[in-house]
Every structure is written in C-alpha cells, then in structure tokens.
Amino acid sequence: MTLPTASPRLVDPRDNRLGTASHEAADRVETALWRMMTFFDAPLADLEAAQSADPGWALPRVMQAGFLLSLTEPQHQAEAQRLLDTAEPLLQGAPARERAHFEAQCAVAEGRWQHACRVWDELLLEHPRDALALQWAQLWDFYRGDALSQRLRPARALPEWSEADPLFPCVLGLYAFGLEECNLYPQAEEAGRRAVAGDARVPWAVHAVAHVMEMQGRFEDGAAWLRQHQPGWAEGNGFAGHLWWHMGLFRLEALDVPGVQRLIDAHLSGPALQITLQRLDAAALLWRMHLLGIDVGARFVELLRDWTPRDEDAGHHAFNDLHVLIALIGADELLRAESWIARCAARAMTPEDARRSNHAVAREVGLPLMRGLLAFAHGDADTAVAALHTARGQAQRIGGSHAQRDLIDQTLLAASVRASHRHVGRALLNERRLAKPMTPLTRHWADQLGFPS
C-alpha cells in the first residue's frame, strides 16, 4: 500500500466533506487515519503537522485526543481533554460530521462509551464511508464487549464502499473480527483472508483469522498463519505485541512451555512493553502459565517493576483493573491486591461515577471476578469457583475478546481442581469438548480434574 496522496478537492477520498482549505492538512489527516487503522506508527506526528498546516481546523485535535483516549490509560485524560477544549472554539462552521466526532470523543473522555458509540452509529447512517467513525466505534465496542455491534456496524457500511479504496481492506478486517466474536467462524475466516489478500498490511484482519483458529482449537494452523504474515505486522506496528500474545496462546494450547517462555523474553517483557495494553497481554499470558503450575513469579515482579498502576487509576476500566490484579497476585503482592480491589470498589460505589459506562460493569461483573481471583490466590478454591462461575455469564461486559476472557474459564478450571467438588470444572470441559477438538491444554485440564480425555 502507498500512503495517500494529495487531493484537489476539500473532501477526503471517500467524499466526506472536510473542515479545512489546506490540502497539506487534509493529506496529513488521511495519513494519520491510515496509521490508526493499520497501527503502523502512532498518528501523532501527522496530526500535529496537520494542525500546523491549518491551525483553525478542529478535526486533527479531536483525532489526537481520540488516539490518546483509545490507549485506555487514565494519565492521558488531562491532555485529551485539553485538546478537546482547544478544538471546541474551532468547530463553528465545521461540517456536521466533524462536530459529531467531537461530541463522541467528549463522551469517551467522560467515560460515557455507550453514548459515544450511539453518536458514531447515527453518523454512519448518513456517512457510511466515514472510516474514522468505523474505526473508533469498533474500538469502543471492543472495550465494552459489544460483539453484535462489532459485526453489524461494518456490515451496514461495507456495501457502500469501493474495493479500490486503500482503506477497504481495513474495514473488511473490522467486519471479519465482528463475525468471529459472534461465533460465525467460516464467514470470519473468509472475510479476514480476503482483506489480507487485498493488502497484506492489515493486522486487524490477520488478528481476526488468528482468533478464528484460536476458537476452533487450530493452534498449529494459527501459529503458521501468524508466521506467514509476520512481515506485515511484526516490524514498526503497534499491534505486534498483541499478535505475539496470540502466538503465545497457540504455543500454550500445544503445551509448548519453552516456546511460550521464548516469546515472552523476546516480545512480551522489558523494553518491548511500552503501553498498558501490551502489559495487560503480558500479565494475561503469565497468568495462564501460573495456572499450569509454572513458576513465573519473578516474571510478574519484573512486569510490575516497569508498570506501577497509580492508585487514582483504579476503577477506570474493569478489564484493565482485572489484569492489574492478576499481576499483583502473580507477584505474590496479596496486600497490594486487596488494596487495589478496595480502591476499585470505592470508585464503583461513588454516585458521581454513575454516568460512566464502567460504573455498573465494575459493580456487577468486575468486582465479583476480582474477588473470585483473590479467593483463588488465598487458597479458598470453593469461594473462587462460586464467585467466578456466578460472574462468568456476564463476563463479556468487561470488554475484550472471547480469547482474552478465556482467562476466567482457565482460572475456573484450575480452581475446580482444588475445590471440594468438581462439577463446574466438568461442565466447562464439556463446553470446550463440543466447541473444538481436544487440544493438549484441554487434555491437561481433563487429566487434572480426573475426567477421561
């Protein structure tokens, strides 16, 4: 793919009107959009260049704020809000589409993620080729665990797109992932392969097909798929860490523990971890190893050495909070783990937090899951099983993917091994047996639980 070139018209390549008269600013924003959808380098330099080319255009500031918010790191909130505040006076006379993006990002900054997605949905009815709306809405659907919208939104838009558009493979990749999260695996794999065939540098589509293979127990196919497309995602791509995490899942499914350890050393530890989203993946993979009885305590300690979640960040996002907790437990920091849960609970109980999308999710799902994990850490397997199994049915509300939330099921399996009865473990094994072929990992849990594999 070549980066977008200058257009003689003050519309983007999809005929969406722009709020600038500067071709340079428009081109820089289009490049930033391409970066956001492909994860090749951060878009910040291009957006700052767009602001320099046209200081009166609000959209580059809104996009910069949106990118910072999408990292789900509370320490970026103040800078994102500053950018939105400076963008607001520039919106007079701006296209309605750009004003809608501003409204949506203001909602994101306030924690009203559902409202933001509703704004983007309304925007896309009139502008189905607004790639920015498709990208952002899918991302916040992902953080909210709304699989149906991840499938239906790109489905509503795709027929309006030209396959010649350089961003078409990216949108097709969004659709492929939505199909996979709705358990439509053959359709998801077909769409993902088609997207990658159109442009090999579509990591989200590579990711969607990897998810299909994970859900179907095709761990060797999955590892081969990622290796085949590695030149299109492993270098200079912000999504590489997550795809290395998927490679780790495939190796773990095969019980190739040395292979997982090599991946962690090379791609999911130390300087390779730059942002919270990467650290969450590292914690999740280490936790799965911990459940298998592998001593990874020193690795958890190392992870927390460079990642010190601030007390004031507790309760921002239940998915992140859960992963902070497993890192603390894995490092045997049980007092800090209890303190972290208490801070998350305190925020979830404050009335002023009620308007945030995370509020009810934290109280009804996140906190019960965290208390179950803490019970497991304290050796109270029966309490852990009861708490985790009760919350499991609503776990999609904390966000993430089926593959990421499988951490809950694997913890339930490990707790069932230690519990006074193993009915829950047997039920989970039955689910897995019908969902995909018996893998070495599933056979391990069957053996641990004393059921025939």
Side-chain angles (χ1 to χ4, degrees):
M1 175 187 288
T2 57
L3 292 182
T5 57
S7 168
R9 299 178 297 166
L10 294 181
V11 294
D12 71 12
R14 289 154 293 283
D15 292 323
N16 296 302
R17 185 180 163 219
L18 298 174
T20 184
S22 167
H23 294 296
E24 181 183 353
D27 293 339
R28 287 288 196 164
V29 159
E30 184 67 15
T31 300
L33 175 59
W34 177 84
R35 295 196 189 285
M36 291 168 70
M37 298 192 78
T38 63
F39 303 92
F40 278 99
D41 296 328
L44 299 177
D46 292 297
L47 293 171
E48 289 167 2
Q51 292 171 47
S52 297
D54 184 353
W57 190 19
L59 185 62
R61 290 174 170 81
V62 175
M63 290 176 68
Q64 191 170 352
F67 174 76
L68 293 174
L69 292 168
S70 74
L71 299 176
T72 70
E73 298 185 7
Q75 59 264 38
H76 294 314
Q77 289 281 131
E79 175 61 12
Q81 189 61 58
R82 184 194 68 78
L83 287 161
L84 292 171
D85 290 344
T86 60
E88 186 172 16
L90 308 177
L91 287 167
Q92 187 173 2
R97 184 181 70 90
E98 296 184 1
R99 295 198 301 273
H101 280 304
F102 172 79
E103 178 188 348
Q105 287 301 343
C106 285
V108 169
E110 295 169 357
R112 296 185 298 125
W113 303 340
Q114 288 166 306
H115 178 74
C117 288
R118 284 197 296 271
V119 172
W120 283 314
D121 276 336
E122 289 295 318
L123 170 59
L124 284 161
L125 292 176
E126 186 173 352
H127 301 282
R129 294 187 300 278
D130 189 324
L132 186 59
L134 287 166
Q135 175 73 7
W136 270 341
Q138 172 135 146
L139 197 58
W140 289 101
D141 281 341
F142 177 76
Y143 291 147
R144 297 185 303 112
D146 187 348
L148 188 61
S149 291
Q150 288 181 85
R151 173 170 67 88
L152 294 181
R153 188 181 297 105
R156 292 193 291 268
L158 266 170
E160 309 291 338
W161 278 66
S162 166
E163 294 193 26
D165 192 303
L167 295 182
F168 177 83
C170 298
V171 179
L172 189 57
L174 298 180
Y175 182 49
F177 185 74
L179 287 166
E180 180 278 324
E181 286 298 292
C182 288
N183 309 316
L184 297 171
Y185 300 134
Q187 299 96 314
E189 184 167 352
E190 179 184 6
R193 287 182 179 274
R194 182 181 163 204
V196 174
D199 186 330
R201 295 198 296 171
V202 191
W204 195 256
V206 173
H207 170 246
V209 176
H211 268 271
V212 169
M213 294 171 176
E214 167 70 20
M215 293 296 99
Q216 294 181 328
R218 296 159 56 192
F219 54 92
E220 295 296 357
D221 287 348
W225 168 259
L226 290 177
R227 285 194 299 269
Q228 176 188 351
H229 296 285
Q230 190 170 322
W233 58 262
E235 297 296 332
N237 193 266
F239 208 56
H242 187 67
L243 290 173
W244 285 121
W245 176 79
H246 275 280
M247 185 73 86
L249 290 189
F250 290 134
R251 299 324 311 149
L252 201 61
E253 199 74 43
L255 288 186
D256 175 14
V257 173
V260 179
Q261 292 172 328
R262 287 193 297 271
L263 280 169
I264 291 173
D265 289 340
H267 305 292
L268 289 167
S269 62
L273 304 178
Q274 297 294 319
I275 60 174
T276 294
L277 295 173
Q278 295 167 338
R279 293 178 175 120
L280 301 180
D281 282 342
L285 192 55
L286 288 172
W287 182 257
R288 286 164 168 81
M289 298 176 73
H290 169 71
L291 295 175
L292 293 172
I294 301 162
D295 184 3
V296 289
R299 292 177 184 269
F300 272 118
V301 170
E302 179 190 351
L303 174 63
L304 287 172
R305 188 177 300 124
D306 298 321
W307 176 34
T308 307
R310 304 178 305 174
D311 291 348
E312 59 266 33
D313 295 347
H316 179 70
H317 185 193
F319 182 88
N320 291 16
D321 292 337
L322 187 74
H323 285 72
V324 170
L325 180 72
I326 63 174
L328 292 170
I329 293 173
D332 201 28
E333 295 274 4
L334 296 189
L335 289 178
R336 286 180 64 192
E338 291 173 356
S339 177
W340 180 256
I341 294 178
R343 291 189 180 94
C344 291
R347 182 167 186 179
M349 300 304 167
T350 56
E352 58 269 24
D353 199 59
R355 69 199 303 252
R356 298 176 67 246
S357 297
N358 187 69
H359 181 76
V361 174
R363 286 188 297 106
E364 297 166 12
V365 189
L367 287 168
L369 288 173
M370 287 195 285
R371 287 171 179 142
L373 286 164
L374 190 60
F376 177 76
H378 282 301
D380 187 352
D382 287 344
T383 298
V385 169
L388 294 172
H389 189 244
T390 299
R392 176 182 182 253
Q394 297 190 74
Q396 76 282 355
R397 293 174 59 195
I398 69 171
S401 65
H402 294 307
Q404 289 174 309
R405 294 189 299 269
D406 191 50
L407 176 148
I408 298 165
D409 282 8
Q410 293 196 37
T411 307
L412 261 173
L413 289 167
S416 293
V417 170
R418 307 176 189 180
S420 58
H421 62 79
R422 298 182 171 184
H423 308 318
V424 170
R426 180 180 62 191
L428 263 62
L429 274 177
N430 288 341
E431 285 184 15
R432 292 175 102 81
R433 285 168 165 167
L434 290 182
K436 56 187 179 182
M438 183 70 73
T439 67
L441 180 60
T442 303
R443 188 172 295 109
H444 163 84
W445 290 120
D447 292 343
Q448 291 292 304
L449 287 162
F451 297 121
S453 59

